[in-house]
Amino acid sequence: MFFGNSQPESGDTKWRRQLDKFVKANQQELAALFWGLWLANGDSQGTVGIDLQPTPHFVYCPKEQIENLNIRVENRLQEILGIVENHKPDVEVVMIGIGKGEIKLIQFAPEPAPPICFEEVGKDVDGLLDVLEERMSEHFSS
């Protein structure tokens, strides 16, 4: 019995693997950015997203748009909506990855917690956006 992917990776799934690697490598900075944006806006703007097209950048995904998309895809995003609605921002990071006409939930509980990450990183939201978007451009161009 073989465990693993014997199929060659398609371009449609490559972005998901790359996003997972990026998130893992940048957890503290992403948690700091998430917390800084939460302090500034709460959830009034929606959920923070990473849009990979045309070049990687951060966006807000308004709840109404996620709900409308859920309706269009026959409620297959119901679980994502529940997680977005019930997450605890001082404990976990919840973002949405957008790529290749698909979305992917990004969820992790960093150590230390997001508020402490924000303090320890020592950058404001604009500085974090600049650093992370530059890292994304490098990461996703390879």
Side-chain angles (χ1 to χ4, degrees):
M1 194 181 243
F2 291 102
F3 295 99
N5 190 354
S6 60
Q7 300 285 327
E9 188 171 54
S10 73
D12 291 345
T13 59
K14 182 179 177 186
W15 74 271
R16 292 172 173 273
R17 185 182 51 78
Q18 286 181 307
L19 184 59
D20 287 343
K21 283 184 172 182
F22 177 80
V23 168
K24 187 173 184 175
N26 293 280
Q27 274 194 9
Q28 188 169 22
E29 291 85 356
L30 287 167
L33 175 65
F34 174 80
W35 184 251
L37 290 170
W38 181 263
L39 289 176
N41 301 308
D43 63 358
S44 66
Q45 302 292 312
T47 303
V48 177
I50 298 174
D51 188 354
L52 300 178
Q53 302 295 324
T55 59
H57 61 286
F58 289 94
V59 296
Y60 273 112
C61 303
K63 184 179 176 187
E64 308 80 50
Q65 288 185 357
I66 299 170
E67 288 170 345
N68 290 339
L69 179 60
N70 185 48
I71 291 166
R72 290 197 315 262
V73 297
E74 300 171 353
N75 293 322
R76 285 182 275 177
L77 303 180
Q78 200 63 39
E79 185 176 352
I80 290 175
L81 281 168
I83 291 168
V84 165
E85 185 71 29
N86 295 300
H87 81 282
K88 295 176 177 36
D90 58 331
V91 176
E92 65 182 339
V93 173
V94 172
M95 296 180 172
I96 295 176
I98 307 163
K100 305 282 186 186
E102 299 177 337
I103 66 171
K104 173 181 176 36
L105 181 68
I106 300 166
Q107 180 184 28
F108 61 93
E111 279 298 325
I116 297 168
C117 288
F118 187 70
E119 288 177 29
E120 288 181 355
V121 167
K123 288 186 171 68
D124 64 9
V125 169
D126 290 334
L128 285 163
L129 285 168
D130 290 344
V131 166
L132 286 166
E133 286 182 347
E134 183 178 325
R135 287 181 189 172
M136 283 192 297
S137 290
E138 292 169 4
H139 180 84
F140 289 97
S141 66
S142 58

